[in-house]
Amino acid sequence: MIAASTDQILEGLDPEQREVVTAVRGPVCVIAGAGTGKTRVITHRIAYAIAIGVTDSSKTLALTFTAKAAGEMRARLRGLGIPNATARTFHSAAIKQLMYFWPYSFGGSFPSLLTMKSGAIAEALNRTDSALAPQTSTLREIASEIEWAKVLEISPDEYVESALGAGRRLKIPNNKSDKSNFEDISKVYQAYETLKQQERAIDFEDVLLLTVGMLEEDRDVRERVRDQYRYFTVDEYQDVSPLQQRLLNLWLGDREEICVVGDAAQTIYSFAGASSAFLLGFTKRYPKAQVIRLSRGYRSTPEIISAANAILRQGGMIGEHGHELASMNSHGAKPEIAKFESNASEANFIVNKIAELRVKAGDSAEIAILTRTNSQLDIFERELRAAGIASQIKSSERFFERIDVRDAMRVIRSASVLPTEGGDWYSDLIAVLRPFGDTDYVQAFLALARSMKEASEEAIGPSTPATLRTFLRELEDRAEQNNPPTLPGVVLATLHAAKGLEWDHVFLAGISEGMLPMGEDIEEERRLFYVGLTRAKSELHLSYYGSPSQFLVGIN
């Protein structure tokens, strides 16, 4: 694969993006508003640094928070002719190091990894005298509290006092006080940790804790890791937790080759231990850091950007926490705000509207319904099913473990070793997948292949196109990271699950007082609403039943 030239890397960048890409020596802090092309900027900066000899592709480590975002980075870097640059989540990078060095630092075989906490927490609950009921919602709440405590390095003994001091609020269906429930959770937390020790198992938070401990205690391992990675990029830096920052510090040492990219206005995971303080305090740690702001929005229309800017102003988020965006796109329709008497009438209206959109734009139209909670999505799923409209709920389904998906990948693997007919690997892929019919995964594979083909030709020219083998590698990479391609159908997602995604048409439903904002942290809820608004590219539909959310004031 031929790497892109410096001219090709810089082509098509706006002045601020070019400034970031050419700022190849750290420390660099990029404040990137929603839809300003940060993924493109990150990958082009890495490619440019490699092209001019500042770093080597094997020495780079790009970190982000979701497998999907990491996969997108790797795909773009491959499109720029850099197949071996590393882009991973914090957990993925940590577990790779932990597994490799485990025999040296800890001895013995690597423990089993708990990918789901619910079973172990249910067993831990049975071992205590807690009055908490072992129902799914309660187990989920306990899991969230344990995760919060562990990323802040709070032990079971310290949990009650820390939770009270942090003003934690529980959604547990009983009549007990928060303090009493905290005390019960502390017992379950302790039992859960004991159970893991007995079963010789670790969870995802342990991966970070153990990697931190290993690097702090073992100088030889620490130096080997620091020699491996010398050029760091951190995406979504506003969502880093204290534990992740501690790990990043250990990876980095006293070097300053780091570029962080984030937007404090999109901090929506404070409840899970994330903190924008590290982004906002970056220049205090690195006084000589370059700070560059990306404010040209390429995702949304001016009308949608105007609504998003109104929310920034409403929350006083202009300044160090965020900045107004300027849309680079053509004008479109103003965001609609619709009132309904019930969630049933709201759902019925939205599904009818979606049916009309699909008649105009076709089945491939990118449409999403976003809500504050998972339970709000149920009625939309039922209404869409009744209307014969395919939908998918954003979840952690193991797409690549489906038998039909694995069969299709085996066929692609076999075909990838054969010469491509006339150099058209995409046509060969269509032929290979034809026996599998017009299924959701076939459509998803073909859409991914089209995007790879277009990205490859745009980035480095038609002389070095992608191949069926590089497409297979992309699929295998996604399978390893549990990062499935986008499936067809209307997407149903919570606002939190929608972070980092985008659609042509977005329906933000249930924006009612008491539902959004929910809880006492109004500013975090406002940032969550801002994230929802900025997922829309062409059309934004806002709706509520009952009393409108205070956030709707000032829009339009």
Side-chain angles (χ1 to χ4, degrees):
M1 181 176 286
I2 301 173
S5 68
T6 54
D7 286 343
Q8 289 170 328
I9 293 169
L10 296 175
E11 185 179 357
L13 300 175
D14 69 36
E16 289 79 19
Q17 291 174 336
R18 182 182 285 250
E19 185 180 0
V20 174
V21 169
T22 55
V24 292
R25 305 311 305 232
V28 176
C29 179
V30 182
I31 308 300
T36 54
K38 68 181 177 65
T39 305
R40 186 183 190 206
V41 166
I42 288 170
T43 51
H44 281 238
R45 180 180 182 271
I46 292 170
Y48 191 80
I50 292 168
I52 65 173
V54 168
T55 188
D56 182 82
S57 60
S58 63
K59 299 292 185 182
T60 65
L61 179 58
L63 295 158
T64 189
F65 286 82
T66 67
K68 181 177 178 63
E72 173 70 11
M73 281 192 202
R74 289 191 295 273
R76 293 201 186 204
L77 286 166
R78 280 198 289 274
L80 290 163
I82 305 170
N84 58 338
T86 303
R88 293 185 175 274
T89 64
F90 272 89
H91 282 92
S92 174
I95 198 168
K96 193 173 180 67
Q97 293 174 17
L98 191 63
M99 291 178 73
Y100 182 82
F101 289 110
W102 188 274
Y104 304 96
S105 291
F106 299 94
S109 59
F110 192 74
S112 61
L113 181 64
L114 285 177
T115 55
M116 296 288 287
K117 289 187 177 70
S118 55
I121 289 175
E123 174 60 27
L125 191 57
N126 289 335
R127 295 186 177 192
T128 70
D129 59 358
S130 162
L132 296 172
Q135 59 196 62
T136 302
S137 60
T138 299
L139 294 177
R140 191 183 302 122
E141 193 75 3
I142 296 171
S144 295
E145 288 303 297
I146 291 175
E147 289 165 6
W148 170 78
K150 293 182 76 167
V151 299
L152 295 180
E153 300 181 72
I154 297 168
S155 69
D157 290 342
E158 301 167 324
Y159 168 73
V160 176
E161 184 178 349
S162 298
L164 288 169
R168 302 289 288 177
R169 291 291 179 264
L170 299 172
K171 301 169 190 170
I172 292 178
N174 63 27
N175 296 320
K176 299 174 69 176
S177 67
D178 275 347
K179 185 174 187 296
S180 180
N181 283 325
F182 288 148
E183 290 169 347
D184 281 346
I185 290 175
S186 177
K187 296 174 187 176
V188 177
Y189 180 10
Q190 182 62 68
Y192 169 74
E193 293 299 312
T194 301
L195 176 64
K196 285 196 289 105
Q197 290 175 1
Q198 294 171 347
E199 299 291 332
R200 205 168 178 277
I202 59 175
D203 59 24
F204 281 112
E205 289 69 47
D206 292 328
V207 167
L208 297 183
L209 287 163
L210 288 167
T211 305
V212 164
M214 175 182 73
L215 294 174
E216 286 181 341
E217 298 297 325
D218 195 322
R219 179 178 176 180
D220 180 56
V221 169
R222 183 170 66 248
E223 290 181 351
R224 288 173 66 182
V225 169
R226 287 180 182 173
D227 183 61
Q228 172 65 57
Y229 295 117
R230 295 174 170 272
Y231 199 79
F232 290 83
T233 305
V234 187
D235 186 21
E236 303 286 6
Y237 192 57
Q238 77 279 351
D239 289 330
V240 77
S241 72
L243 181 57
Q244 288 165 330
Q245 181 64 50
R246 188 174 164 193
L247 178 58
L248 180 61
N249 292 343
L250 286 163
W251 282 334
L252 192 61
D254 59 2
R255 296 168 299 185
E256 296 189 344
E257 288 301 350
I258 181 170
C259 172
V260 299
V261 184
D263 180 10
Q266 296 186 69
T267 305
I268 60 172
Y269 293 108
S270 298
F271 68 91
S275 173
S276 60
F278 300 109
L279 174 66
L280 298 174
F282 190 79
T283 54
K284 292 179 182 176
R285 178 172 181 177
Y286 299 105
K288 296 180 180 179
Q290 295 183 71
V291 179
I292 306 166
R293 293 178 180 265
L294 301 181
S295 57
R296 302 182 192 215
Y298 296 96
R299 175 186 298 154
S300 308
T301 63
E303 288 73 16
I304 294 171
I305 291 291
S306 176
N309 285 339
I311 294 302
L312 289 179
R313 291 191 296 271
Q314 181 189 94
M317 290 187 282
I318 306 298
E320 66 172 355
H321 286 80
H323 55 279
E324 292 195 28
L325 303 179
S327 176
M328 297 292 104
N329 297 323
S330 301
H331 283 277
K334 278 191 172 185
E336 298 177 345
I337 301 178
K339 176 184 179 180
F340 299 93
E341 296 304 315
S342 66
N343 62 340
S345 58
E346 179 185 36
N348 181 261
F349 175 86
I350 287 174
V351 170
N352 286 334
K353 191 82 172 176
I354 288 173
E356 293 174 8
L357 277 174
R358 285 163 61 88
V359 169
K360 293 178 184 176
D363 293 348
S364 61
E366 296 179 347
I367 303 172
I369 300 174
L370 308 181
T371 60
R372 176 62 179 84
T373 67
N374 276 301
S375 60
Q376 289 174 282
L377 295 172
D378 294 342
I379 190 168
F380 294 102
E381 185 181 26
R382 291 195 300 270
E383 289 284 337
L384 287 166
R385 189 186 304 118
I389 299 173
S391 67
Q392 53 159 311
I393 293 181
K394 291 296 294 182
S395 67
S396 57
E397 177 198 9
R398 304 294 294 191
F399 171 83
F400 287 103
E401 292 179 6
R402 288 168 48 176
I403 294 175
D404 49 1
V405 170
R406 289 160 68 179
D407 287 344
M409 286 182 64
R410 271 195 290 271
V411 173
I412 296 171
R413 188 174 296 110
S414 298
S416 70
V417 302
L418 302 173
T420 300
E421 290 292 331
D424 188 355
W425 68 273
Y426 180 71
S427 294
D428 287 352
L429 178 65
I430 293 174
V432 163
L433 293 175
R434 190 169 291 124
F436 293 91
D438 191 26
T439 56
D440 60 350
Y441 61 91
V442 167
Q443 292 181 51
F445 282 175
L446 293 177
L448 175 62
R450 282 195 301 274
S451 67
M452 282 183 64
K453 188 170 183 286
E454 291 165 2
S456 175
E457 292 173 354
E458 175 189 344
I460 57 177
S463 59
T464 54
T467 66
L468 199 56
R469 182 168 288 280
T470 57
F471 176 68
L472 174 66
R473 181 177 174 183
E474 173 70 15
L475 289 180
E476 291 174 336
D477 193 38
R478 284 170 173 265
E480 180 186 346
Q481 300 291 325
N482 187 29
N483 175 29
T486 302
L487 293 169
V490 176
V491 174
L492 304 175
T494 63
L495 291 169
H496 282 102
K499 180 76 166 64
L501 305 177
E502 61 183 29
W503 297 270
D504 289 328
H505 309 276
V506 169
F507 291 82
L508 254 171
I511 313 173
S512 308
E513 196 66 23
M515 189 59 71
L516 185 71
M518 177 182 289
E520 298 181 3
D521 193 340
I522 302 299
E523 294 313 309
E524 176 114 347
E525 294 286 298
R526 196 190 315 276
R527 293 192 294 269
L528 188 59
F529 183 49
Y530 173 78
V531 166
L533 295 177
T534 53
R535 299 312 93 196
K537 294 194 284 186
S538 300
E539 292 187 12
L540 176 62
H541 306 267
L542 309 170
S543 59
Y544 67 95
Y545 55 90
S547 301
S549 166
Q550 60 187 275
F551 298 154
L552 293 175
V553 176
I555 291 184
N556 283 347

